[in-house]
Amino acid sequence: MEAVARSAIARAYAPYSRFPVAAAILFADGQVLAGVNVENASYPLSLCAERAAVAVGVTGGHGAVHAVLVLTDTAEPTTPCGGCRQVLAEHGAPEVPVRSVTLQGRTAEHRLGALLPEAFRSDSLLRRNPHPPRDVW
Ligand code: THU
């Protein structure tokens, strides 16, 4: 997985933050696919590497997320941002390992469930109390 991320990080599009990130995800079908951050001049539209990798996997029909690696050119390993934790939790079980690696080889590893405890998931939606549909007309 690390080799896949290492070959992708040069393609990160991060001219604004100059903080390139590559993510490699192992999917249920055994494929390891990369994503990089893709920034935009309209800053909030920027896409994180982890979400880019999830989109690649979903688009190709590769199944659930089984492992995640995040590669950054930093002094210390970088863990996924809060939004990416939420997106990863939609596609991966709490036991999924998330390994954060620096270009220099520093490593940290966490479980997805530890990065996002008490996650809001699709089954959370089932807990809503019933409301009659509102007639807006
Ligand atoms: N970024 C990621 O791609 N993944 C992370 O886990 C943290 C942040 C990106 C977003 C933005 O392009 C840049 O890093 C700086 O925030």
Side-chain angles (χ1 to χ4, degrees):
M1 292 176 74
E2 188 174 331
V4 169
R6 281 183 177 271
S7 70
I9 196 165
R11 294 191 293 275
Y13 181 73
Y16 307 108
S17 70
R18 282 180 269 149
F19 191 89
V21 185
I25 296 183
L26 169 66
F27 289 94
D29 69 353
Q31 284 247 54
V32 176
L33 299 167
V36 295
N37 53 334
V38 182
E39 297 184 348
N40 192 275
S42 178
Y43 296 173
L45 297 181
S46 298
L47 178 66
C48 289
E50 297 90 325
R51 270 181 269 184
V54 167
V56 168
V58 171
T59 301
H62 298 284
V65 168
H66 279 197
V68 181
L69 184 140
V70 181
L71 178 68
T72 50
D73 185 9
T74 49
E76 298 298 328
T78 302
T79 52
C81 79
C84 287
R85 295 177 194 200
Q86 178 68 26
V87 170
L88 289 167
E90 178 85 19
H91 299 276
E95 300 74 33
V96 163
V98 180
R99 183 175 294 195
S100 302
V101 183
T102 71
L103 281 182
Q104 293 73 28
R106 281 186 170 274
T107 298
E109 195 166 311
H110 305 87
R111 299 275 169 184
L112 191 48
L115 293 176
L116 190 65
E118 307 296 331
F120 183 85
R121 295 174 161 273
S122 58
D123 59 356
S124 309
L125 294 169
L126 301 173
R127 297 193 204 118
R128 73 170 169 79
N129 290 320
H131 289 285
R134 198 158 63 95
D135 183 359
V136 293
W137 303 113

